[in-house]
Amino acid sequence: MTEQGVRWTAEQVLALAPDDASRKAGARLGGAGPWSQTGGSASGAVWGLCKGSGSKPYRTVVDLSGPAYKCSCPSRKFPCKHALGLLLLWAAEGLDAPAGTSAAAPDWAGEWLAERAAKAARPAAERSGRAVPADAEGARKRAERRAARIGTGVTELEQRLADLVRGGLAGQEQAGYAAWEETAARMVDAQAPGLAARVRELGTIPSCGTGWPARMLEEAALLHLLDRAWLGVSALPDPLAATVRSRLGLQPQTDGEAVRDHWLVLAQYDTASPDGRLTTRRIWLRGLASGRPALVLDFGPPGRPPGLALPVGLVLEAEARFRPGSAGLRADLGESFAPAAPCRTVPTGVSTGAALEAYGAALREDPWLESWPVVLGPVVPIPGGQQGGRQGEQQGATAWQLADAEGTSALPVPLTGAGSRPAAGLWQLAALSGGGPLTVFGECGHRGFTPLTAWQPDSSEPVALG
Amino acid sequence: MTTTRTTAGTTAAATDTAYEDETWDELVGAALLGTERRRGSPEALLGAAAVQTVRRRAGLRPAEAGPRPEPAPRDPRPEPPEPARRRLAQLLAGRAGAGSGSGRRGAAPDLTELLPQWLAAAGQHGYRAPASLVPALLDVARARSDLRPQALALAGTRGLWLARLNPDWRFALRGGSGGAGELPDPHDAVGVERLWQEGLFAERVALLGLVRAHEAAAGPRLLETTWNTERAEDRLMFLDSLRVGLSADDEPFLEAALGDRSRNVRATAAELLSALPTSALAGRMAQRALACVGPEGVTPPTDCDAGMLRDGVVKRPPAGRGERAWWLGQLVESAPLSCWRDRFGGLGPAEIVALPVAEGWAEELHAAWCRAAVRQGDAAWSHALLGSASAPPAAGPATASLAERAKLLSTLGEEERAAWVAEFIRAHGLSEAFQLLGVCVVPWAGALGRAVIEALDSAREAGGYPWSFSGVMGLAERCLDPAEAGRLDALAAEPVEEGGAAAYWSEAFQRLVATLRLRSALHTELTPPT
């Protein structure tokens, strides 16, 4: 599984692209045309020279174990179009050295690869960047100050919520968003970004259409629950206290559990913040041995995509460090032991009922959890549309569902939801199924099931939806 | 579940219990009104709502499944090999990217132009599209009507199944031709009859083609069953579809259609009959034409009689043309070319075309012969009328128009056509060759490809810019035999300084080479592993 010969699919390579423009530019460089002196090593690296418009070709190297990239082009995108083109070339045709032996990397590639190898060999603690606090007393004081500020913010928010419920939600449709935006700003001042985000969300609900009062009451109640939990956090059991802290947006106080496993990448997708400045990338993993789900988040600053990219269907042997709290989902990837390589096994799915039970069980650890990662199957997608209602009827449009292949149970598929997944992915899902059963990975929560990846019954190749 | 309750319960227990026993709907009602008008504190309401929210979420049950869609019919065709599937995904991912329209296109190949080739080649191999790419193919088919038939054929039954579910793809259901395997077996008389009576127009045209391909005489029989009830425009389209595979079996039907109510139908029937050299109409036209043209000179008709009208001759000339010349042109164009040999004492086409013609009539006569040669697909006459490819264009016998030459060329055999165009390019360069290249068979024959490359090389040496030849460059990317890539490498690698026309040429040749290599890879990938 470690050979450079285990190639990725074109989809997996294109999933690395930071944006659409790079995806297109990379695809155009994915033929032999502009490339020369290409090669690959058994330790999982590929390199090549790409002819650009200048007289000197660009030098491109990719370390597949990261994956990490280096290119002499001036682009500030990672990976750049040359790295993508090189990977596509490798995906399509392989870059085997003559006579099937692994070629030695040219100097310019070898130096960088050696540097990376040396860095990887250093002890994990040194690399983790989590500096041991030099001034424990100072850190404790800072934490106390912050706790006090959050306490003030929480008390203020409680007041705001009480006012809301005392006066009645009915006025909210007219009240507008500005008042909540102001409260959110106060929460930012109070250094509670988790509360700020929830308050902002709360403010958008009255404009969300029918059923908004119930949704608003739910969100207000959960916010109230979080406020109360913070005010009594010292009395809570450790895992729940850690969950409350992370929901408020505080860094974990302790290191979590480290789990070494073969991590299968089940999904990767980006969402933009409401102001479009910050991109959040969610990567869902599942330990093939432990069966444990893991959510790795990465963030892209304004105008830049997140740096971490793990294409769907790859397996990486690595250590995942789980953050305390939040039902044990959030993880950071630590040391990796082998280059990422495609996986040829399809995870086993569960029924719709079992999926909801898994979500329900996870709520015990984290009552604020929106959804839980679930492999569902075999299920049949039922496309929404006009087939439910007669022509001219107002309620003609029906929602999509995923139904158990056997029996009558189904989960609704939200057209917009936490991830705001585009409908294009749903049509791809329908195309894959053709009315038959398949296995689907997605997020299962109180809004329904959001499909992210699918496997056809006769294929082990995962298809990233959307 | 119990843990959840305890967790939420502890947080809510601090306040009063006014809302503890209310249902969720009652809580929402109270929250809408506001606690001011009710007993109990806001905290109690929020606490009770929090407990209910978490309880409801933790206790969610699946919904009742709606009606499942009918399973898609099985598509027995194989999927393309894995490398080809990846290539298609890549071409579809890049489809919107290229064609930015700027003059300089860089050295990388244009993927948009390769998608049509991929689709055509996959169609020839009889593949079906990978299911995950069917939605993207349907989107391509919607956006580019030129690719529609191929994209829909590849999408097959899975594509039609999806199109029934998504209104955006309804167009796929109208086309009909894309529905692989939807037509009945031509032996299945009941199935044929039912589709002919009930089918959509496109399905009926496809059915007619199928039935005729199976047995030539069965086409007219099928048409006759409903002919009198068809609308005029449908009658015209049905007649038009007979053009492919026209044979003597169609003659009686066409002869009857000469008396049709619609003038357009009559004219089309006459045109089709004249393309059948043995038809009675062609014989009547020959008689009339031979009376007008011979070694002794040209005497155009003096009148357009009822017989000529019935045989499709249009009486009124277009503005600016004399009516006698107009009638003459129609007679000659509809007469079988074989009739002229005897009339001119056993001469062949080339000798007849070379004969001097009485003043003023040469242009009219030669143009009519050109139309006849195209209509009757007569290579010998086409060759004679095209003349020598290296002769100055204006010296050709009344075929100065490139469009006319292109039409004549299309009646020649593949090799002859390529050889003629190659000679034309060597003599006249590329500037006028575009239209002629368009009728040559892809990939271009060796001699033709070499002529194009040499001409591009001369254009570079003459100091032109590659974008002046972008049309031919684009054609070359699509039509050159990939085997020519080696020959082009030398041109692409020629050392140049930065900037200037030479650098642009080098870039253009690099792109051409890259595209040819990609095309070659694309075809290799589609070849099934043995």
Side-chain angles (χ1 to χ4, degrees):
Chain A
M1 244 182 27
T2 57
E3 299 90 351
Q4 170 256 331
V6 185
R7 277 138 50 181
W8 300 3
T9 65
E11 291 80 20
Q12 285 166 343
V13 171
L14 290 170
L16 297 170
D19 52 31
D20 248 25
S22 316
R23 192 169 297 128
K24 285 163 193 160
R28 264 177 266 159
L29 291 175
W35 291 95
S36 59
Q37 295 180 35
T38 53
S41 76
S43 59
V46 289
W47 54 79
L49 297 180
C50 185
K51 173 100 180 70
S53 50
S55 57
K56 260 185 147 178
Y58 296 122
R59 297 163 160 185
T60 313
V61 209
V62 180
D63 178 353
L64 296 162
S65 65
Y69 324 91
K70 184 175 164 63
C71 183
S72 62
C73 77
S75 168
R76 293 178 60 206
K77 288 177 180 170
F78 278 94
C80 65
K81 60 183 177 180
H82 305 105
L84 287 171
L86 179 65
L87 283 173
L88 281 173
L89 188 66
W90 167 66
E93 294 157 29
L95 296 173
D96 293 323
T101 56
S102 229
D107 291 346
W108 52 267
E111 275 166 31
W112 180 74
L113 290 168
E115 215 172 279
R116 278 186 57 79
K119 215 185 272 178
R122 263 180 268 154
E126 202 180 310
R127 280 179 293 117
S128 70
R130 194 191 295 283
V132 182
D135 167 18
E137 180 61 18
R140 197 183 54 79
K141 278 199 176 138
R142 273 196 301 280
E144 267 173 18
R145 271 202 302 277
R146 185 168 182 194
R149 295 183 74 163
I150 294 176
T152 317
V154 161
T155 313
E156 192 181 332
L157 181 56
E158 272 298 89
Q159 196 56 52
R160 184 80 174 80
L161 291 173
D163 289 347
L164 170 72
V165 177
R166 190 177 295 118
L169 301 179
Q172 286 296 308
E173 244 174 333
Q174 280 78 44
Y177 180 67
W180 290 108
E181 187 53 47
E182 196 189 316
T183 308
R186 306 277 302 150
M187 295 305 114
V188 173
D189 292 344
Q191 297 187 318
L195 289 181
R198 283 184 168 265
V199 167
R200 242 178 239 123
E201 181 76 27
L202 190 66
T204 62
I205 293 177
S207 55
C208 283
T210 47
W212 72 266
R215 276 197 59 207
M216 188 143 196
L217 181 59
E218 281 185 346
E219 288 308 314
L222 288 174
L223 201 45
H224 166 73
L225 189 66
L226 189 54
D227 286 342
R228 304 289 310 202
W230 171 258
L231 295 173
V233 73
S234 54
L236 294 177
D238 282 347
L240 194 57
T243 299
V244 170
R245 281 195 200 92
S246 80
R247 287 287 172 195
L248 280 158
L250 286 128
Q251 289 298 316
Q253 295 171 318
T254 51
D255 267 342
E257 184 190 357
V259 179
R260 177 174 170 170
D261 204 336
H262 286 87
W263 296 99
L264 169 62
V265 184
L266 288 174
Q268 169 184 308
Y269 69 94
D270 293 350
T271 48
S273 62
D275 60 5
R277 286 169 58 80
L278 186 78
T279 305
T280 304
R281 176 163 294 168
R282 283 180 173 73
I283 300 174
W284 284 111
L285 304 173
R286 175 192 260 204
L288 289 181
S290 62
R292 186 163 178 172
L295 172 62
V296 177
L297 293 185
D298 197 20
F299 302 94
R304 296 269 293 277
L308 185 64
L310 291 173
V312 170
L314 293 187
V315 173
L316 54 158
E317 192 185 355
E319 195 177 72
R321 286 192 299 276
F322 284 86
R323 299 190 178 187
S326 296
L329 269 188
R330 273 293 302 281
D332 300 293
L333 281 177
E335 191 178 351
S336 78
F337 304 98
C343 173
R344 291 292 172 205
T345 53
V346 181
T348 317
V350 300
S351 70
T352 53
L356 285 173
E357 272 167 35
Y359 170 59
L363 282 173
R364 269 188 261 169
E365 317 264 325
D366 180 356
W368 298 276
L369 199 63
E370 289 285 309
S371 61
W372 184 253
V374 172
V375 177
L376 197 63
V379 282
V380 179
I382 304 177
Q386 307 299 318
Q387 78 254 48
R390 273 170 218 90
Q391 276 198 333
E393 215 173 298
Q394 282 285 313
Q395 305 285 330
T398 53
W400 285 62
Q401 285 186 327
L402 283 169
D404 285 330
E406 305 284 332
T408 59
S409 297
L411 294 178
V413 176
L415 273 179
T416 55
S420 294
R421 308 287 298 158
L426 293 182
W427 286 110
Q428 217 182 352
L429 183 65
L432 284 168
S433 110
L438 33 67
T439 304
V440 186
F441 168 75
E443 296 167 5
C444 179
H446 60 92
R447 289 196 177 97
F449 187 95
T450 303
L452 299 171
T453 305
W455 292 262
Q456 284 174 280
D458 51 353
S459 163
S460 64
E461 208 173 299
V463 179
L465 303 171
Chain B
M1 243 330 224
T2 29
T3 325
T4 311
R5 243 196 257 195
T6 327
T7 309
T10 46
T11 56
T15 51
D16 58 288
T17 56
Y19 291 96
E20 220 168 48
D21 299 325
E22 304 218 347
T23 65
W24 175 249
D25 286 341
E26 285 167 340
L27 291 179
V28 174
L32 267 170
L33 274 176
T35 57
E36 248 169 11
R37 293 170 223 192
R38 294 275 308 265
R39 74 218 132 74
S41 66
E43 287 78 14
L45 175 56
L46 285 169
V51 172
Q52 291 243 16
T53 299
V54 179
R55 183 187 289 160
R56 272 157 27 101
R57 289 183 180 183
L60 278 172
R61 305 298 310 152
E64 179 92 5
R68 288 175 169 74
E70 287 285 315
R74 213 178 71 82
D75 193 334
R77 301 175 295 170
E79 272 194 15
E82 197 182 342
R85 295 208 303 271
R86 291 181 193 167
R87 181 73 67 192
L88 176 62
Q90 193 184 334
L91 293 175
L92 288 171
R95 69 184 187 275
S100 50
S102 67
R104 191 175 174 188
R105 292 165 55 211
D110 183 351
L111 294 182
T112 333
E113 284 308 330
L114 290 174
L115 184 59
Q117 296 223 350
W118 196 99
L119 294 176
Q124 280 160 14
H125 282 290
Y127 291 125
R128 70 180 149 99
S132 63
L133 297 176
V134 169
L137 271 177
L138 288 170
D139 283 341
V140 162
R142 188 170 58 154
R144 286 188 61 176
S145 50
D146 58 322
L147 296 183
R148 191 166 289 178
Q150 290 166 340
L152 289 182
L154 202 66
T157 50
R158 186 64 57 100
L160 290 177
W161 180 84
L162 272 181
R164 271 190 279 277
L165 297 170
N166 187 339
D168 286 351
W169 296 326
R170 282 285 149 77
F171 70 89
L173 303 175
R174 288 195 298 269
S177 56
E182 300 267 308
L183 292 176
D185 186 290
H187 294 288
D188 172 12
V190 179
V192 167
E193 168 71 12
R194 191 173 57 227
L195 189 64
W196 183 252
Q197 294 290 345
E198 298 167 8
L200 301 169
F201 183 73
E203 287 170 327
R204 301 178 69 207
V205 170
L207 180 68
L208 180 61
L210 180 81
V211 164
R212 291 178 70 233
H214 182 68
E215 186 201 338
R221 282 208 301 273
L222 192 61
L223 279 171
E224 272 160 5
T225 58
T226 55
W227 191 248
N228 293 325
T229 61
E230 306 285 356
R231 298 181 310 160
E233 60 253 52
D234 288 355
R235 293 203 301 279
L236 187 62
M237 299 277 274
F238 279 130
L239 273 194
D240 210 50
S241 78
L242 295 181
R243 217 176 276 278
V244 179
L246 187 70
S247 72
D249 286 304
D250 300 311
E251 191 190 342
F253 182 81
L254 292 170
E255 189 72 34
L258 288 175
D260 197 89
R261 299 187 295 281
S262 153
R263 192 166 67 95
N264 285 334
V265 170
R266 293 197 301 270
T268 304
E271 188 203 326
L272 289 174
L273 283 170
S274 70
L276 285 171
T278 58
S279 72
L281 178 133
R284 294 195 292 274
M285 288 307 223
Q287 266 184 358
R288 296 181 184 119
L290 291 171
C292 298
V293 179
E296 64 281 358
V298 176
T299 323
T302 52
D303 183 25
C304 182
D305 59 34
M308 281 163 73
L309 284 175
R310 189 187 135 76
D311 283 343
V313 174
V314 178
K315 185 166 187 176
R316 286 194 49 153
R321 298 194 58 183
E323 56 182 11
R324 293 183 68 197
W326 172 242
W327 298 329
L328 174 71
Q330 293 182 75
L331 296 183
V332 172
E333 130 188 21
S334 299
L337 287 161
S338 55
C339 73
W340 299 112
R341 177 177 281 271
D342 285 347
R343 187 70 174 87
F344 284 94
L347 295 181
E351 294 153 294
I352 296 175
V353 169
L355 288 176
V357 185
E359 53 178 282
W361 292 110
E363 199 179 323
E364 202 69 58
L365 187 58
H366 284 167
W369 274 334
C370 281
R371 293 196 294 277
V374 171
R375 188 182 292 183
Q376 294 166 34
D378 191 313
W381 272 86
S382 291
H383 215 263
L385 288 159
L386 275 166
S388 157
S390 52
T399 52
S401 135
L402 286 165
E404 205 148 57
R405 289 186 172 210
K407 278 192 211 155
L408 286 173
L409 274 172
S410 61
T411 69
L412 300 186
E414 290 180 18
E415 284 172 36
E416 212 181 348
R417 208 183 310 172
W420 198 92
V421 177
E423 198 188 328
F424 181 91
I425 288 171
R426 274 195 291 274
H428 308 298
L430 287 171
S431 47
E432 300 198 75
F434 187 78
Q435 220 164 0
L436 303 178
L437 282 168
V439 297
C440 292
V441 175
V442 178
W444 286 339
L448 176 58
R450 281 191 291 281
V452 171
I453 294 170
E454 278 159 22
L456 284 171
D457 196 24
S458 326
R460 173 179 68 163
E461 274 170 12
Y465 282 91
W467 44 84
S468 313
F469 300 90
S470 59
V472 173
M473 265 299 184
L475 264 185
E477 284 171 23
R478 264 169 285 164
C479 307
L480 259 184
D481 190 329
E484 301 291 331
R487 195 183 306 275
L488 280 160
D489 265 341
L491 294 175
E494 219 152 275
V496 289
E497 317 108 64
E498 282 295 306
Y504 295 132
W505 275 108
S506 157
E507 199 173 79
F509 281 125
Q510 276 170 31
R511 186 179 65 244
L512 188 51
V513 171
T515 307
L516 292 183
R517 292 252 153 81
L518 207 53
R519 268 178 56 209
S520 147
L522 180 157
H523 286 283
T524 313
E525 288 160 0
L526 279 165
T527 309
T530 45

